[in-house]
Every structure is written in structure tokens, then in C-alpha cells.
């Protein structure tokens, strides 16, 4: 069942009113009298002699105040009674109409929500095509809830989305360039070598110049560490003496290790075998050629 469209023929409503008027004819004379009564009292000083008189004066002034206040309340109450009744009637009418509005709103809500869902799906399909155009994953887009509103046109959505996609493409391009710079710099480090992987991850929270500075600092540290380890190794080798089948610390006499012997057959170029023999000699390992 469909209700007929509700429409008021006369939107001015048949309500007449007159402005409230209060005829306070004696106000100028009363105001002048009160001014005369209250003039210069801020300079008056109560004394012991004037105390009884001043007390009576205060009582009379308070009586006048109460009389004015009582009269004001009566007039305001009578004047506002019609306003209060009118206000109550209009609010009653509003509540009746609001009941219908709320009922219709609840029914329309289901269709409005479905319309938003349908438009959301349509937007995703069209935005997916835009994403392919830019070579960007749709998930990278910051989808705006307002795009699902009926009043938001596709032209507006497309313009906003393209601005985002262009910014994403520029950001990805800058990221790739930064990653290449880091990879190239990592390849420049040979002794000791460094992996680019941890520094690529740093790009998530550091700028490229900061990452490159970190790489230099870390490489300097590795060089110093390698030198210190080499010095410690040489000192350790120099401190060893062979006694029978044991290696003994020359300073403390402590047995550090046993003498181990392994027979190997090595195959390689002359340069490789020479490099290997130099390494073995550097580590203080005794060796002899076995034919």
C-alpha cells in the first residue's frame, strides 16, 4: 500500500497573534523617585546614633523591592501564559508528525543502505580499472566514505582517485630509486662486505640520506671491529707454545688446546694454494707437504 503524497495547501498556517503590550505609564516618575532615594548612598556611613533610623529605612526599601518584584511576577505570568499554551500545542503537533517521519526514515534506511552498498561495489569496479591504468594495487587507495553518497558524482570520485594514484606512483618510484642507491652502495663495501637488506627496511622510517649515513657508520664500525679481532687473534697465537701434543699459554702455563692433525689432499690453482698457505701461516698452523 502506498500513501498519497502529503502536502499542506496553506503553509502560512491560520494562526494570528499580537505582540504583548504592557502599559507602564508611571515608570518615568517611579524611576526618578527611585533615583532620588538611592542617590549618594554609597557615601553614607551608618553610625550608632543613626542605627535605628537606618534599620527602618532598609526595611522600607526591601518592602518596595518586594512589591515591585511581586507585581512583575504577576504580569509576566499572565503575559506568558498564552505563549506557554501555544508552545505546548505546537510541540504536540510536531511530535505527531515526527512519529510519521521516524517511521518512514526506518523504512527508507534499508533502501538507502542497499543503494550505498551497490554504489560502493560499482565504485570499486571502476576504481580497479583506474588502478590497472596506473599499475598500482587498488588496496593502496585511501577509499573515502563520501564516495558512496548519492550526491557524489563519478567525476569527483575519479578526480580524487587519480590524484591519489599519481602520488602513490611517485612514492613507489622514489622508493625504487632509493633502494637501488642503497644496493649500489652496499656493493661498494668489500672488506668487510655488507648486506643491503636491513637498510632497505630502514626506508620505512628513515630518509635516504639518513640510511646512507647509517651504512657508512656501520661499515666503519665493522672495519674497526675486524681490526680489533685480528689484533686479538695475533696476540693469542703469539702467546701459544707447543709442548708435546698440547698448546700452552706462555704467560700463564694454562693448557689451551690439544694438537690436532688432519691429512688433506688439496686441489686448486697455484694462486689458490699460495693464498691458502698464507692463510694457514697467518693463523699459526703448522703444516708439511706430504707426497
Amino acid at each position: 500500500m502506498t500513501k498519497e503524497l502529503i502536502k499542506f495547501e496553506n503553509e502560512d498556517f491560520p494562526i494570528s497573534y499580537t505582540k504583548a503590550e504592557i502599559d507602564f505609564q508611571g515608570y518615568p516618575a517611579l524611576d526618578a523617585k527611585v533615583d532620588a532615594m538611592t542617590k549618594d548612598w554609597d557615601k553614607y556611613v551608618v553610625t550608632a546614633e543613626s542605627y535605628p533610623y537606618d534599620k527602618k529605612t532598609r526595611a522600607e526599601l526591601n518592602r518596595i523591592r518586594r512589591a515591585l518584584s511581586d507585581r512583575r511576577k504577576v504580569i509576566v505570568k499572565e503575559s506568558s501564559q498564552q505563549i506557554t499554551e501555544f508552545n505546548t500545542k505546537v510541540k504536540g503537533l510536531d511530535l505527531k508528525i515526527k512519529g510519521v517521519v521516524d517511521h518512514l526514515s526506518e523504512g527508507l534506511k534499508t533502501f538507502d543502505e542497499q543503494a550505498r552498498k551497490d554504489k560502493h561495489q560499482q565504485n570499486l569496479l571502476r576504481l580497479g580499472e583506474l588502478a590497472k591504468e596506473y599499475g598500482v594495487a587498488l588496496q593502496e587507495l585511501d577509499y573515502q566514505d563520501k564516495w558512496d553518497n548519492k550526491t557524489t558524482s563519478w567525476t569527483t570520485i575519479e578526480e580524487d582517485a587519480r590524484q591519489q594514484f599519481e602520488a602513490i606512483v611517485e612514492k613507489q618510484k622514489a622508493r625504487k630509486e632509493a633502494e637501488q642507491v642503497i644496493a649500489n652502495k652496499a656493493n661498494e663495501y668489500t672488506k668487510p662486505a655488507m648486506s643491503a637488506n636491513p637498510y632497505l627496511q630502514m626506508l620505512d622510517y628513515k630518509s635516504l640520506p639518513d640510511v646512507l649515513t647509517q651504512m657508512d657508520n656501520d661499515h666503519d664500525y665493522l672495519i674497526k671491529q675486524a681490526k680489533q679481532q685480528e689484533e686479538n687473534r695475533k696476540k693469542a697465537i703469539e702467546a701459544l707454545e707447543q709442548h708435546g701434543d698440547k698448546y700452552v699459554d706462555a704467560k700463564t702455563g694454562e693448557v689451551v688446546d690439544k694438537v690436532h692433525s688432519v691429512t688433506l689432499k688439496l686441489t686448486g690453482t697455484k694462486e689458490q694454494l699460495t693464498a691458502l698457505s698464507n692463510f694457514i701461516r697467518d693463523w699459526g698452523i703448522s703444516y708439511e707437504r706430504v707426497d
Side-chain angles (χ1 to χ4, degrees):
M1 181 179 70
T2 303
K3 288 280 190 180
E4 292 184 2
L5 182 63
I6 297 174
K7 186 175 181 181
F8 272 50
E9 295 296 333
N10 180 10
E11 294 187 359
D12 290 334
F13 307 116
I15 302 173
S16 61
Y17 68 97
T18 57
K19 295 181 180 179
E21 294 183 3
I22 299 176
D23 189 5
F24 198 171
Q25 296 180 356
Y27 176 74
L30 183 58
D31 184 46
K33 188 173 182 178
V34 171
D35 282 345
M37 287 170 48
T38 57
K39 184 178 180 181
D40 297 332
W41 275 89
D42 57 327
K43 302 174 184 178
Y44 183 79
V45 178
V46 178
T47 64
E49 291 78 10
S50 67
Y51 178 85
Y53 173 80
D54 294 337
K55 191 172 182 180
K56 290 180 180 180
T57 300
R58 184 186 66 178
E60 178 62 17
L61 291 173
N62 281 332
R63 186 190 66 78
I64 295 173
R65 289 183 63 208
R66 284 194 299 272
L68 286 170
S69 178
D70 291 344
R71 186 58 176 155
R72 174 185 61 79
K73 291 178 180 177
V74 169
I75 294 174
V76 170
K77 182 178 181 180
E78 292 179 353
S79 300
S80 61
Q81 185 173 357
Q82 287 188 348
I83 298 299
T84 301
E85 292 176 356
F86 173 74
N87 197 35
T88 300
K89 290 178 180 178
V90 172
K91 284 186 176 180
L93 294 172
D94 177 69
L95 286 175
K96 292 178 182 179
I97 298 173
K98 182 178 182 296
V100 178
V101 171
D102 291 345
H103 179 76
L104 290 174
S105 296
E106 191 63 28
L108 294 171
K109 181 180 178 182
T110 301
F111 293 93
D112 289 339
E113 289 179 350
Q114 186 59 48
R116 285 183 63 86
K117 291 179 181 178
D118 292 343
K119 185 172 184 181
H120 183 77
Q121 292 302 319
Q122 293 174 5
N123 287 342
L124 289 180
L125 291 174
R126 301 178 78 173
L127 290 171
E129 294 300 319
L130 276 183
K132 291 179 183 179
E133 179 182 330
Y134 286 91
V136 174
L138 181 58
Q139 291 77 7
E140 296 287 335
L141 184 69
D142 182 16
Y143 193 96
Q144 304 294 308
D145 290 339
K146 66 180 181 180
W147 292 349
D148 294 337
N149 295 339
K150 291 181 180 179
T151 55
T152 305
S153 66
W154 169 248
T155 302
T156 299
I157 298 172
E158 181 180 10
E159 182 179 352
D160 292 347
R162 284 189 181 278
Q163 289 179 358
Q164 283 197 46
F165 282 133
E166 289 170 3
I168 292 170
V169 169
E170 288 300 318
K171 184 178 179 180
Q172 291 179 344
K173 180 181 177 182
R175 175 69 180 237
K176 289 181 180 179
E177 292 176 351
E179 289 177 349
Q180 188 59 53
V181 171
I182 290 174
N184 293 341
K185 190 172 185 65
N187 291 333
E188 295 174 0
Y189 298 125
T190 53
K191 295 182 180 180
M194 289 178 63
S195 171
N197 290 335
Y199 302 100
L200 295 177
Q201 296 175 4
M202 284 185 186
L203 285 174
D204 293 337
Y205 54 89
K206 281 188 175 183
S207 65
L208 177 60
D210 289 342
V211 173
L212 296 178
T213 299
Q214 185 69 49
M215 293 179 73
D216 287 335
N217 293 339
D218 290 350
H219 191 256
D220 290 342
Y221 172 77
L222 291 176
I223 291 175
K224 293 177 182 177
Q225 190 180 51
K227 288 182 179 179
Q228 185 62 48
Q229 291 176 347
E230 179 65 16
E231 292 176 2
N232 293 340
R233 183 187 65 79
K234 289 182 178 179
K235 290 179 181 178
I237 292 175
E238 292 172 356
L240 292 180
E241 291 181 354
Q242 184 176 348
H243 294 274
D245 62 346
K246 296 181 177 63
Y247 284 108
V248 178
D249 190 312
K251 295 183 179 179
T252 64
E254 177 185 1
V255 176
V256 177
D257 200 356
K258 293 181 179 181
V259 175
H260 301 275
S261 179
V262 179
T263 300
L264 299 173
K265 180 179 180 181
L266 304 174
T267 302
T269 65
K270 181 178 179 181
E271 290 77 8
Q272 290 174 329
L273 295 177
T274 300
L276 179 59
S277 65
N278 291 335
F279 173 79
I280 293 173
R281 183 172 61 252
D282 290 342
W283 277 85
I285 301 173
S286 299
Y287 67 93
E288 59 180 307
R289 180 172 178 176
V290 178
D291 296 324

